[in-house]
Amino acid sequence: QVQLVESGGGLVQAGGSLRLSCAANGIIFTINAMGWYRQAPGKQRELVAQITSRGSTNYAESVKGRFTISRANAKNTVYLQMNSLKPEDTAVYYCNVVVFNGLAFHDYWGQGTQVTVSS
């Protein structure tokens, strides 16, 4: 059974930093991509950053230059280093893993971790 275990959220002042981690357990097929999404109250879930198995990255415009995504393939773990945090970064952050089983792609989601940035 696939389980995504997230950690690292919390409360921080504007300008501060946080590091999110997500370990994907129970994965027996190929991980195609790992990433982070976020959802603020009253808003739709949006992509924050994604990294492919080859290391290619993709960032939301609003976080470019401030956030860095990385992964440890041997541990099936993805990280999100968030610097220069702003109040508008406040949201629940969800880990996402895309797995290819040879026939189709499947999405798996973490339970979400709250990030709150105070002004």
Side-chain angles (χ1 to χ4, degrees), residues 15 20 28 31 36 38 49 66 70 74-75 90 98 110 112 114:
L20 305 182
I28 63 173
I31 293 179
W36 293 93
R38 68 185 180 187
R66 299 188 298 122
S70 61
K75 297 180 181 180
T90 294
V98 181
Q114 178 70 46

Side-chain angles (χ1 to χ4, degrees), residues 18-22 33-37 47-52 55-60 63-72 77-83 94-97:
L18 283 174
R19 188 188 193 215
L20 305 182
S21 298
C22 173
M34 305 181 80
W36 293 93
Y37 288 70
L47 174 68
V48 177
Q50 188 180 60
I51 184 167
T52 70
S56 297
T57 57
N58 181 35
Y59 293 94
V63 307
K64 282 184 179 179
R66 299 188 298 122
F67 291 10
T68 302
I69 190 169
S70 61
R71 62 188 284 180
T77 300
V78 63
Y79 307 96
L80 185 67
Q81 179 66 43
M82 304 185 293
N83 298 328
Y94 295 91
C95 176
N96 170 258
V97 174

Side-chain angles (χ1 to χ4, degrees), residues 2 32 36 38 40-41 49-51 53-54 57 62 64-65 84 103 117:
V2 175
N32 178 262
W36 293 93
R38 68 185 180 187
Q50 188 180 60
I51 184 167
S53 58
R54 296 187 177 186
T57 57
S62 60
K64 282 184 179 179
S84 302
L103 295 174
V117 184

